[in-house]
Amino acid sequence: MSSLKRHRALSRIWASDPGWKGWFTTVNHTDLGRMFLTVAVFFFVVGGVLAMLIRAQLATPRSAFLGPEHYNQVFTMHGTIMMFLFAIPVFEGFAVYLLPKLLGSRDLAFPRLTAYGFWCYVFGGSMMIFSLLWGIAPDSGWFMYPPLSSTLGAPGINSDFWLIGITFVEISAIAAAVEITVTVLRYRAPGMSLSKMPIFAWYALVTAVMILTGFPPLILGSILLELERAFDMPFFQAAAGGDALLWQHLFWLFGHPEVYIIFLPAAGAISTILPVMARTGLLGYGWIVAAAVALGVLSFGLWVHHMFTTGIPHLGLAFFSAASTLVAVPTAVQLFIWIGTLAKGAPRLHLPMLWLLAFFATFVIGGLTGVMVAIVPFDWQVHDTYFIVAHLHYVLIGGFVFPMLAALYYWLPHFTGRKTYFNLGPTAFWLVVIGFHGTFLLLHWAGLLGMRRRIDSFEPGQGWEAINLIASVSSFVMAIGFALIAIDVIVSVLASVRGSRDPWGGSTLDWAMPTPPAAYNFASLPEVSARDPLWADPDLPAKIARGEGYLGDWARDRRETLTVEVTTGAPRYVVVFPANTGFPMAMSAVTGLFFLGLLTKAYWLVPLALIGVVAMALYWVWGLLPRRGEGAVPVGRGLSLVTAAEVADPPGWWGSLFLLLANGTFFGSLLFGYSFYWTIAPNWPPPAYAELSLVGWALLALGVVLALLGTRGGAGAGHALAVLGTLAIAAVGARVLWLVPDPTVHAYDATVWVLVGYGILHQGIAALMNGVIVARGIAGHGAETWQGPARIARLWTDYGGITAVLAYGAAVLPGALS
Amino acid sequence: MRAVLSLSLPLTLWLAGFSGLYALHGLFCSSRWVEGSAVLWQRPVLIGVGLLLIGAQLILAVALQSKRWRAEDRTLRRVSFLLSLAAAGSTVWILLPLVLVTGCR
Amino acid sequence: MALQGCEETLSVVHPAGPAASAIASLWRVLLIGATLIFGFVAGLIAWGWRRPPGAVNERGFVIGLGFVFPVVVLLALLAYGLVIGERLLPRAAPEVVRVAAEGRQWAWRFSYEDAPERETENLLHIPAGRPVDVAITSVDVIHSFWVPRLAGKLDAVPGHVNTLRIEAYEPGRFAGLGAEFNGRGYRAHRFEVVAHEEAAWQAFLRGETP
């Protein structure tokens, strides 16, 4: 078989549908990655236009360009769009496009989930744009502090767009994070052990786990605030036992890791690009892995530094001041490793390297001002001033946008297969960098002169006029620079000549394929034994194309890739991927109806949409379940492996594991909130407590035993018992709710509803899963394919049982104690 | 997976300990711990918890390098050790406030 | 006491009281330190760029620069910051004057422990040269009480009372700001602090308008 014949056959198997239809039915990561990035750039432009409006308004004192009602929407949406609809999706798009190629796989772990996440992003983002165009956008600041953002300060629909729309978009982030985690751990080229992975894969793994543990507190907070706004459940109202500070804790438990979620992928790009530009290896791979992991975990201990002025005692603040200074250490380790790599190598001033130099200049300043505001007394003066605005733009633009632009120019030849057409790059670079510093450097000083953030205008005579005028003019210079970059990229994509396959001399597998990439990535999956496979074996691309790797033949006429052992990279089993389908988009649309019903208060729509989503999910799962195993299949190079249908830990089990990590963080945040109420909130204890009788406890125990044992009993009958167990647990929950009839009375009652509601919801999920296993047995599916699905059901049933006991226990414990 | 766990456990223990210390401090302050001229019991308790955490970090570090639980891959074993050191050092670092700062003002 | 010029009425770097002075000194240290470190890193990059290719001292970069250098700097900085923070706390003392500030959309109401019948709106009277503890709360959304030339800011959170110590060295007028975004009237959510010398303060407490 010739390489060309192989290419044609694999392309036919893997290609997305042609034309418009392809956009709606694609499950291919290359296409979806490009789609993510394109939509993210669109949102960047929208956010950028909003920034231009801000700077136009603030160019002169007492400007009448925008009144406060509109200005408040403009700056809120600027931050919201940049953080949620641009920064995170750029990481998603970038990781979705690049990871399988870097890792030597043919796609991500869950292709239809990628598509589902993309459409949730598009539909949720569209909700936000709609609100902006109709002048009903959220207007309480991008972190939406209640009571200002709640019914007291924002009685209209504006805040609901944020709470509901952003939660919808976050489905996309969680989905991508689960996928990235499972893909990096299991979907690699055979022989690529964890310690031989490209360094970007480590960063992506850390970032993905951070998303799984960082987003749930925000999702919880959004749900609580929306429940307060829609149903008067007083989570953040002090008079009824709530506390506005709880929102701040939940938000910043998300918000601080969020900025490291944004920074780490950029650091991963730098760790990948800089050595190639310097024509040498990265100085300390192991050190960088340690630093990335350290940064990821340490960043979860900083959140209160956004709350230094809220009245928390000094000792509490001091813990967070210490942790916030500490986090500079792993950052410095990475920084000096990069500089050491430059020193070790022979760096060339190509366009990606220019942007990396801009990163150094800008991010170091941002990091230094960050250390400044980690010192509590200094923050007491500059908090909520333009000093902070300047700091955050230095770290976000310097630490994310500039490295992403380096990545854009570095991987552009890969996306397009072409050289750049004009030489606009350097001009655009200088316009953006000079424009950026002109805009934000002096704003530090404006903050020190007392200019608060978020003011819609300012009086003359406070020494701010010149600074703001310079900032506004420079911001337009920066905008022109970005426009030139856009033109550069668009023209290159459309018009320029074909370039060489590997213009930079890269070392990783992404450069071992034809560019632009084929739908199948690799004609055969290579055996890898070095960290820099292309430098170790420059003939590797040809060998891959000749089919000398694994899965180089297409006799089974379907989409296949390999999974490997987590640590060693030894090949484990074959995964069969789905064909093109519009199902994920349809399911995302039905999910959207659920959110739309909540938003428009058309509450009849909500249960209908929920049933629709559940029905579609069951249909999806049923289609996934294999009836019969096919035994070991040959995969090339003399090896035969079973498929995912016949293993005890299929991809779905791993996905469930990490989804439950996110879920567990959500539940943990709920327990945290509950404890917070008990210790800090004013107007506690509540007037009355929920109780559970001995009968209730007995029924709960019975339910838990049935559920947990049933899933371990083997075959259908056990799972049927497990269903009964989950129903019993749910019934106990309903009984507790019966005793707490009004969740609007006190935050305790409201929290009990959320705790018990969470428990009941998870019994429903577990019941459905066990029901599917029972149905499977009735439908006569083979015994050899039973293990995987049963273990997945077991995971969820165990989780549901444990959390139900904790949730009900938390609800009734105070009553039992008093 | 053992390798992944050996990388994530040390600093996760730090995070749990840090959060626990902060929560304990919050509990003490909400029950009106006010320091006057006398040194009350709350500060020594917090310092004691801190020392226990450092001890736990050291035990974890040794365990993660022991033949039974260590990562199979030598590079990752080294990274795990670095992270164990970092976690222990981080625990010491965040105890500094207990030495320099008053209780609940 | 006349101010130099309007530019400084809200300026953090033109302190008029002990708390703001301590923080302004802190700022100077931070600025000098940051400039030196930035210069060092820039110089290092320039040196690294021009250095001919060849092995470098990996441990030097990773442990020396990446670890030891930041730890030393940050340890000193953290200790300095914690000590300053301690000094700013409202500790009991015989000459402390207690007032209360109630934030609302979009005004401030002040009351005085030493003159319970008096309540002023958007103008806070304090004695100069004595520490004043301001008990801050809110009746609606979250606000923040900030007089940049006297001290840092502290939030007004509904259901909580936060106490901020401010002190003016000399009699005079000082601009105050609501410093937490609170909606449409945020820009104009301002107040003034007037520090009286002792006789005028006593007059104020008696009910006269000094």
Side-chain angles (χ1 to χ4, degrees), chain C residues 33-51:
Chain C
T35 311
L36 288 175
I37 294 175
F38 181 75
F40 170 66
V41 173
L44 197 66
I45 293 176
W47 164 81
W49 188 274
R50 300 174 55 214
R51 180 185 184 274

Side-chain angles (χ1 to χ4, degrees), chain C residues 69-180:
Chain C
F69 167 56
V71 164
V72 166
V73 170
L74 292 169
L75 191 59
L77 193 57
L78 180 65
Y80 177 32
L82 291 180
V83 165
I84 300 254
E86 275 295 292
R87 258 204 262 142
L88 302 181
L89 294 178
R91 290 169 205 288
E95 72 276 17
V96 170
V97 172
R98 268 172 272 280
V99 303
E102 189 185 81
R104 63 184 61 232
Q105 280 171 319
W106 288 282
W108 288 91
R109 289 217 187 119
F110 302 109
S111 53
Y112 305 85
E113 190 183 83
D114 298 326
E117 346 68 56
R118 292 216 68 167
E119 199 183 76
T120 54
E121 180 146 317
N122 292 335
L123 181 61
L124 173 63
H125 297 261
I126 62 170
R130 286 172 69 183
V132 176
D133 281 359
V134 187
I136 305 165
T137 189
S138 164
V139 300
D140 44 29
V141 302
I142 297 179
H143 307 280
S144 194
F145 177 96
W146 189 32
V147 188
R149 295 192 69 209
L150 296 188
K153 62 182 65 71
L154 199 53
D155 289 353
V157 183
H160 294 263
V161 177
N162 293 331
T163 305
L164 176 70
R165 171 153 300 174
I166 65 175
E167 183 178 334
Y169 283 136
E170 304 278 347
R173 306 206 114 188
F174 307 99
L177 297 168
E180 179 67 50

Side-chain angles (χ1 to χ4, degrees), chain A residues 418-734:
Chain A
R418 303 172 193 264
K419 297 192 214 216
T420 51
Y421 190 77
F422 298 126
N423 200 20
L424 287 177
T427 312
F429 168 81
W430 288 110
L431 286 174
V432 169
V433 173
I434 292 177
F436 170 82
H437 287 278
T439 309
F440 290 104
L441 189 61
L442 290 175
L443 286 177
H444 292 99
W445 191 244
L448 287 167
L449 291 180
M451 186 173 177
R452 295 165 291 167
R453 65 190 288 191
R454 300 167 162 184
I455 46 173
D456 59 273
S457 180
F458 58 94
E459 297 294 311
Q462 285 151 135
W464 307 342
E465 295 93 308
I467 296 174
N468 275 285
L469 188 58
I470 293 171
S472 294
V473 169
S474 302
S475 70
F476 276 86
V477 171
M478 185 167 55
I480 294 171
F482 278 118
L484 283 183
I485 295 175
I487 293 172
D488 203 9
V489 171
I490 292 171
V491 170
S492 295
V493 166
L494 295 177
S496 58
V497 303
R498 280 200 71 68
S500 64
R501 186 183 48 77
D502 181 13
W504 312 113
S507 66
T508 43
L509 289 176
D510 47 330
W511 299 103
M513 57 179 60
T515 56
Y520 54 82
N521 282 350
F522 301 97
S524 59
L525 300 176
E527 176 98 36
V528 165
S529 55
R531 211 172 269 161
D532 302 303
L534 279 195
W535 288 352
D537 181 4
D539 198 37
L540 194 57
K543 290 182 182 162
I544 289 172
R546 285 199 292 268
E548 290 178 29
Y550 295 90
L551 293 179
D553 87 87
W554 58 95
R556 293 184 287 273
D557 202 35
R558 60 189 187 185
R559 301 176 174 179
E560 291 178 335
T561 197
L562 288 181
T563 61
V564 299
E565 288 289 354
V566 171
T567 316
T568 60
R572 276 284 322 277
Y573 54 82
V574 176
V575 167
V576 180
F577 280 133
N580 302 332
T581 166
F583 189 85
M585 182 183 174
M587 186 153 161
S588 177
V590 176
T591 312
L593 288 177
F594 172 81
F595 285 102
L596 206 57
L598 288 172
L599 179 64
T600 55
K601 303 200 184 340
Y603 291 121
W604 56 269
L605 185 53
V606 173
L608 284 181
L610 190 58
I611 292 172
V613 169
V614 169
M616 292 180 85
L618 286 172
Y619 177 81
W620 184 333
V621 166
W622 191 258
L624 260 172
L625 285 178
R627 300 190 123 260
R628 292 262 173 276
E630 49 189 295
V633 299
V635 298
R637 296 171 74 106
L639 191 59
S640 283
L641 298 171
V642 293
T643 60
E646 294 180 61
V647 296
D649 65 337
W653 185 87
W654 286 88
S656 291
L657 191 68
F658 289 108
L659 188 55
L660 287 174
L661 176 63
N663 202 354
T665 312
F666 180 93
F667 185 65
S669 306
L670 183 54
L671 292 179
F672 159 74
Y674 188 58
S675 322
F676 180 86
Y677 280 146
W678 274 100
T679 47
I680 308 287
N683 295 315
W684 276 64
Y689 300 118
E691 287 170 9
L692 196 54
S693 64
L694 223 46
V695 173
W697 282 109
L699 187 57
L700 180 64
L702 177 65
V704 169
V705 163
L706 279 179
L708 266 50
L709 287 185
T711 54
R712 287 163 169 80
H719 290 273
L721 279 180
V723 174
L724 287 177
T726 59
L727 293 177
I729 300 173
V732 173

Side-chain angles (χ1 to χ4, degrees), chain A residues 185 194-195 202 249 286-287 290 293-294 297-298 300-301 304 312-316 318-320 322 325-326 567 654 679, chain B residues 1 3-4 7 11-12 14-15 18 22 25 27 30 46 72-73 75-76 79 82-83 90 93-94 97 101-105:
Chain A
L185 289 178
L194 269 184
S195 59
W202 278 106
H249 280 289
W287 295 107
V293 173
V297 185
L298 284 174
F300 278 84
V304 172
I312 292 171
H314 192 217
L315 180 56
F319 282 132
F320 286 89
T325 49
L326 182 62
T567 316
W654 286 88
T679 47
Chain B
M1 266 308 269
V4 174
L7 295 185
L11 282 165
T12 305
W14 171 85
L15 185 61
F18 175 82
Y22 178 59
H25 144 270
L27 258 166
S30 74
L46 286 173
E72 306 91 338
D73 180 305
T75 309
L76 295 183
V79 175
L82 286 174
L83 288 170
S90 303
W93 185 270
I94 52 117
V101 173
T102 47
C104 287
R105 291 206 164 275

